[in-house]
Amino acid sequence: MKSGKKYSYNVSRTAQFIKSTVNKSQYPETHLPGIAFAGRSNVGKSSLINCLIGQGKPARISSTPGRTQHINFFLVDDSWMFIDLPGYGYARVSKKVRDSWGPMIEELLTECSFLEMTIVLVDSRHDATTLDKLMVDWLSQYGIEFIVVATKIDKVPRSKRTKQIKQLQSELHSSRVIPFSSTTGEGRDELWAEIEKYQ
Ligand SMILES: Nc1nc2c(ncn2[C@@H]2O[C@H](COP(=O)(O)OP(=O)(O)O)[C@@H](O)[C@H]2O)c(=O)[nH]1
Ligand SMILES: [Mg+2]
């Protein structure tokens, strides 16, 4: 793929914010497949969700971490429930808030009846963090299907991409890691193809 190639942006999806929750009693009721998005703060999760949706832009990139401490549900194309999990590892919040993230995410993974698949975002420029590894361990332990996406791939020089992706594959014991860029749209179609398996 040549540098600067544009990927297909022509498909735009509808998206509707459903609700923001802190525990299972508040989860929406649906029979649609749930697709969760997990990753550390600033990994590019909001940007990736916006990129997947296209013009709909539900997960507005917020500069404050407020809502990001909740689990946010979006109905996408009347076909999927996107589940935006709180970002982990945000340093500037209190220990109390930080400590609630693990249980909140674990509760979703174990108690959400419609969760089908989790997309785990990791930063393609760095090694996987301890929390990235923990997330993947939980998913394996609970038998939840997941796919790892390496964000901000546009920032990694082409000559280093293969090595970096292989490194992440090995650290996360994951045979497949999808390189993704919200800036160029690289990986968008590949990720949609994975999501569309759950229709
Ligand atoms: N170059 C580049 N920057 C990105 C990409 N995705 C996100 N960013 C930037 O990374 C920062 C964090 O992104 P955001 O989506 O808010 O991360 P979140 O905290 O995980 O929701 C923002 O400054 C984005 O513009 C990407 O694919 N490429
Ligand atoms: Mg965000």
Side-chain angles (χ1 to χ4, degrees):
M1 207 78 70
K2 285 217 171 63
S3 176
K5 173 168 168 33
K6 285 276 176 275
Y7 298 83
S8 77
Y9 268 111
N10 50 343
V11 186
S12 193
R13 312 273 177 162
T14 63
Q16 184 192 348
F17 172 73
I18 299 297
K19 67 196 301 198
S20 198
T21 72
V22 291
N23 65 50
K24 66 177 175 186
S25 69
Q26 303 167 325
Y27 296 166
E29 277 186 32
T30 182
H31 293 291
L32 294 174
I35 309 291
F37 296 81
R40 68 165 181 76
S41 299
N42 216 39
V43 71
K45 188 152 54 68
S46 299
S47 303
L48 177 139
I49 295 173
N50 286 343
C51 176
L52 286 178
I53 302 303
Q55 288 151 15
K57 304 218 168 187
R60 293 235 167 263
I61 301 171
S62 88
S63 49
T64 55
R67 270 273 168 87
T68 61
Q69 289 158 23
H70 292 64
I71 295 177
N72 296 309
F73 293 84
F74 300 92
L75 176 62
V76 175
D77 263 8
D78 295 323
S79 300
W80 299 275
M81 190 64 78
F82 276 19
I83 307 167
D84 187 12
L85 297 176
Y88 27 85
Y90 188 76
R92 285 167 58 201
V93 298
S94 69
K95 185 173 183 309
K96 190 172 166 227
V97 169
R98 240 174 8 228
D99 289 350
S100 71
W101 287 345
M104 206 193 277
I105 289 173
E106 226 179 344
E107 181 177 57
L108 187 283
L109 298 181
T110 53
E111 307 281 347
C112 180
S113 59
F114 54 89
L115 174 65
E116 292 279 352
M117 200 253 291
T118 299
I119 296 170
V120 181
L121 283 69
V122 296
D123 193 320
S124 62
R125 297 168 299 175
H126 307 298
D127 293 345
T129 68
T130 307
L131 290 172
D132 293 332
K133 290 174 187 165
L134 178 65
M135 186 73 208
V136 164
D137 282 350
W138 274 345
L139 292 164
S140 306
Q141 189 184 320
Y142 297 132
I144 299 162
E145 289 184 42
F146 66 91
I147 186 149
V148 179
V149 170
T151 63
K152 309 188 189 183
I153 196 69
D154 57 286
K155 290 196 166 182
V156 179
R158 263 160 210 283
S159 58
K160 294 189 177 148
R161 288 188 189 180
T162 306
K163 183 168 170 270
Q164 192 59 20
I165 294 293
K166 278 196 177 136
Q167 170 84 12
L168 287 168
Q169 283 172 333
S170 127
E171 286 171 346
L172 297 169
H173 310 291
S174 189
S175 57
R176 186 156 170 230
V177 170
I178 300 182
F180 195 96
S181 167
S182 302
T183 307
T184 66
E186 177 171 353
R188 181 183 191 264
D189 293 345
E190 202 178 340
L191 192 51
W192 261 120
E194 292 302 320
I195 296 168
E196 283 176 339
K197 288 178 184 168
Y198 296 89
Q199 208 166 8

